[in-house]
Amino acid sequence: MTTRRKFLTTAAAGAATVPLAAPAIAQSTIKWRMQTYAGSALAAHVAKPAIDKFNAIAGDRMQIDLYSADELVPTNELFRAMQRGTIDAVQSDDDSMASPTEVTVFGGYFPLTLRYSLDVPVLFNRYGLDEIWKEEYEKVGIRHVSAGAWDPCNFATREPVNSLKDLEGKRIFTFPTAGRFLAQFGVVPVTLPWEDIEVALQTGELDGVAWSGITEDYTVGWAEVTKYFVSNPISGAWIGHFFANMDRWNELPDDLKLLFEVCCEQSHYYRQHWYWGGEAYLRVHGDKLELTSIPDEEWAQVEDAAEKFWDEVASESDTKAKVVEIFKQYNADMRKAGKPYRYESA
């Protein structure tokens, strides 16, 4: 056998005539699996562009395999799968993936809290929600990477809705918290796998959806199987997030953590203009959904009920009370700031 001493002697003797090659360093590519709440047509906008950019920049150092809604696990099991490490990262709202945290109720569409999509990043980056979310998720072994806004939440229905009475008995696919709130107006919340919604609308198993704005209704095919779009928003923006298993996150080099954060922020920016422009354009130029609305004086009942709902949620824990207080302070600030932040007639 070649001893270490003999190897060094031989190498030194031959150094003058045979240059030593640089040592090969074995470096395995880091592989992550990430699942989004969105089906494939929607994921092409809300997730894929950012992950494609990440993979292109990270190269053979790291690659993320992206899966759409329910491909690996059902959406309501996303949190547990990520916590166990079955999935390394998730794009979702807290509510849909059933996070066991004090802030879960605020994920997705918290009723009538937000007017515009820009409200979300301001609340997280200037009013302290980011710190609260990070603390809550760290307790359960999850890294809260980033929060951003998606579209508003409106009803898209098979039959016209021109009053609150028209909502009574309607079987609506929506988020858990939104369903809990809307039940007082006779809405029957229904939970189904995302990919089953279009067929359920075709067969009449569902009367409508309160899951998105008009952009998604067109993008994912729901505009083909509903006829009406109700202009009154349950919320002005969906609050969604990027999350990662804490152990997987801590294993990453700092520059890859930073790259992932930057790509998440780019994703938030893309959605800001994609949704904002899409909501307006399709209301004006879309040819598949007829716009209806509930009169302002009736919708005021929903707005009043929302404030009572906030207080109900705030009474459940100190953390929830803290978040609700931030929402109230923020909305008070926006009203005092006046136009264009808030229009009294809106």
Side-chain angles (χ1 to χ4, degrees), residues 11 28 121 138 147 176 190 239 241 259 275 285 290 324 329 332:
S28 299
E138 187 174 357
V190 177
I239 303 177
H241 312 266
L259 176 60
Y275 279 122
H285 300 287
E290 179 181 336
V324 168
Q329 181 62 58

Side-chain angles (χ1 to χ4, degrees), residues 270-281:
Y270 176 89
R271 287 191 312 277
Q272 285 281 351
H273 60 78
W274 185 64
Y275 279 122
W276 184 257
E279 296 300 302
Y281 183 87

Side-chain angles (χ1 to χ4, degrees), residues 6-65:
K6 185 175 180 180
F7 170 78
L8 291 173
T9 301
T10 304
T17 56
V18 183
L20 292 175
I25 300 174
Q27 186 179 32
S28 299
T29 301
I30 300 168
K31 295 284 287 184
W32 270 19
R33 299 200 300 175
M34 175 178 165
Q35 184 169 312
T36 173
Y37 73 98
S40 57
L42 183 58
H45 289 280
V46 303
K48 190 175 184 296
I51 300 307
D52 285 348
K53 285 180 173 64
F54 179 92
N55 288 340
I57 297 169
D60 62 3
R61 294 186 63 204
M62 182 172 176
Q63 292 289 291
I64 299 175
D65 294 329

Side-chain angles (χ1 to χ4, degrees), residues 98-161:
S99 302
T101 75
E102 290 294 319
V103 296
T104 294
V105 68
F106 304 108
Y109 294 113
F110 194 67
L112 296 160
T113 313
L114 309 167
R115 183 67 61 84
Y116 308 119
S117 58
L118 275 175
D119 291 340
V120 175
V122 176
L123 277 162
F124 273 82
N125 295 302
R126 293 183 67 92
Y127 280 72
L129 292 192
D130 188 65
E131 291 84 354
I132 295 172
W133 256 251
K134 280 182 167 52
E135 289 174 5
E136 285 299 307
Y137 277 95
E138 187 174 357
K139 294 175 185 177
V140 290
I142 297 298
R143 170 71 179 188
H144 174 261
V145 179
S146 184
W150 272 248
D151 51 340
C153 183
N154 299 72
F155 290 98
T157 56
R158 299 171 72 237
E159 298 177 354
V161 172

Side-chain angles (χ1 to χ4, degrees), residues 105 174-184 189 309 312-313 316:
V105 68
T174 189
F175 294 84
T177 298
R180 170 183 162 187
F181 171 70
L182 292 170
Q184 65 187 291
F309 182 78
E312 176 187 331
V313 170
E316 296 172 356

Side-chain angles (χ1 to χ4, degrees), residues 213-223 282 285-289:
I214 198 169
T215 305
E216 287 190 16
D217 292 332
Y218 274 78
T219 301
V220 306
W222 295 342
L282 289 170
H285 300 287
D287 59 359
K288 296 175 182 176
L289 293 174

Side-chain angles (χ1 to χ4, degrees), residues 160-168 292-295 298:
V161 172
N162 294 296
S163 68
L164 289 179
K165 187 172 179 60
D166 290 338
L167 293 176
E168 294 179 4
T292 67
S293 63
I294 297 170
E298 281 195 64

